[in-house]
Every structure is written in structure tokens, then in C-alpha cells.
Amino acid sequence: HGDCLVPQNFPEDPKLGRWVDKQRHCYKCRNEKRPTPLTMKQIEKMESIGFVWSVNKQHNWAEMFQQLEEYRKIHGDCLVQANFKENPKLGRWVSQQRHHYKRWKSGKSSPMDTDMTRIDQLEQIGFAWTFPGKKK
């Protein structure tokens, strides 16, 4: 499969799907400061192989990234306006990526903290972190 995006209902291996779901639940409990058997060492080990704690968020990001790649093929750049009428969801998503990056660069909490590959992926397709004409 090439990734760790195992769904809860994984027909190829239902036991793996249930186990992964339990790990995600334990991780959520840990983040909410509730008791859980999941240790930091286990978390680090799972993250080292690219384990995804929130499948929906990761899948949505990948889907929007693909839409941005399509936009780039058509328009020749990644300069999607926040109010892009043809695809408002893409416009909001691109704006959100810039916002997350700005927070990350200033040392504030951001989804970019936990997934640095997003920055690399966006930069590889020529993503501009500031929209031309806007203040940095």
C-alpha cells in the first residue's frame, strides 16, 4: 500500500483495522490527558514509519493537494485566490496552508509541526507561501 492510512474497517485484514483504530483512540485519550497504555516510545516508533493518527484529516489534505496539482496543470502556478469562485474549497484550503505555515514560522502551534512533509510537497510544486501583493 505504501502508507499507514489503515481504515478501521479494513477488509484485507480486519484485525489490523481494529488494532489501528484502538491505537488512534489511545492517542486521542493521551492528548486529552486521559489514562492510556500508549507510551511516547510507542508513539515515536509508529510515527517513524509514517503512522497517521487522523485518517480523515490526512486524506482530506491529500485530496486538496491533488486539486491544487490539477489547478497548477491548468493555470501554470499555485496562486489560488482565497475567494476562488470556480473552487471555493480549494481557495480556502490554500489560504489555510499559508496561515498554518505563517504560524509555524513564527513558532506558534500549527499542523505543520507534526507533518513537515506537507511543506516539502507544496514547495516541490511551486507553492508560494505569500500571495503576490500581500504583506509577508
Side-chain angles (χ1 to χ4, degrees):
H1 291 277
D3 61 44
C4 294
L5 293 168
V6 181
Q8 179 180 353
N9 298 315
F10 188 47
E12 293 174 41
D13 189 344
K15 190 174 179 180
L16 175 62
R18 287 190 301 274
W19 181 83
V20 165
D21 185 57
K22 182 177 180 184
Q23 302 315 302
R24 290 184 177 126
H25 176 74
C26 289
Y27 182 78
K28 183 178 178 185
C29 288
R30 186 177 179 88
N31 284 342
E32 294 171 353
K33 309 291 186 218
R34 294 188 294 163
T36 176
L38 190 64
T39 67
M40 273 310 296
K41 188 173 184 173
Q42 290 168 320
I43 291 169
E44 289 168 4
K45 196 168 194 171
M46 292 169 77
E47 287 178 345
S48 75
I49 62 164
F51 188 83
V52 177
W53 297 107
S54 177
V55 175
N56 291 339
K57 287 181 182 177
Q58 184 68 24
H59 175 72
N60 289 343
W61 194 92
E63 183 181 310
M64 295 308 299
F65 181 78
Q66 187 174 10
Q67 288 183 32
L68 179 61
E69 286 182 307
E70 290 300 316
Y71 176 95
R72 182 175 174 256
K73 286 177 189 171
I74 294 166
H75 299 276
D77 60 45
C78 297
L79 298 174
V80 183
Q81 293 186 9
N83 60 352
F84 183 47
K85 288 179 178 43
E86 291 175 42
N87 187 343
K89 188 176 177 183
L90 179 61
R92 286 189 303 272
W93 182 82
V94 166
S95 179
Q96 190 177 49
Q97 300 314 300
R98 290 186 178 115
H99 174 74
H100 291 322
Y101 182 78
K102 185 177 178 182
R103 287 185 59 85
W104 174 77
K105 287 290 278 185
S106 66
K108 295 178 183 170
S109 176
S110 163
M112 301 285 180
D113 293 336
T114 56
D115 196 349
M116 298 293 294
T117 60
R118 292 179 177 186
I119 294 170
D120 293 337
Q121 285 179 273
L122 289 165
E123 289 179 345
Q124 284 176 7
I125 64 166
F127 189 81
W129 294 110
T130 56
F131 198 84
K134 295 264 182 172
K135 292 181 186 176
K136 290 186 180 184

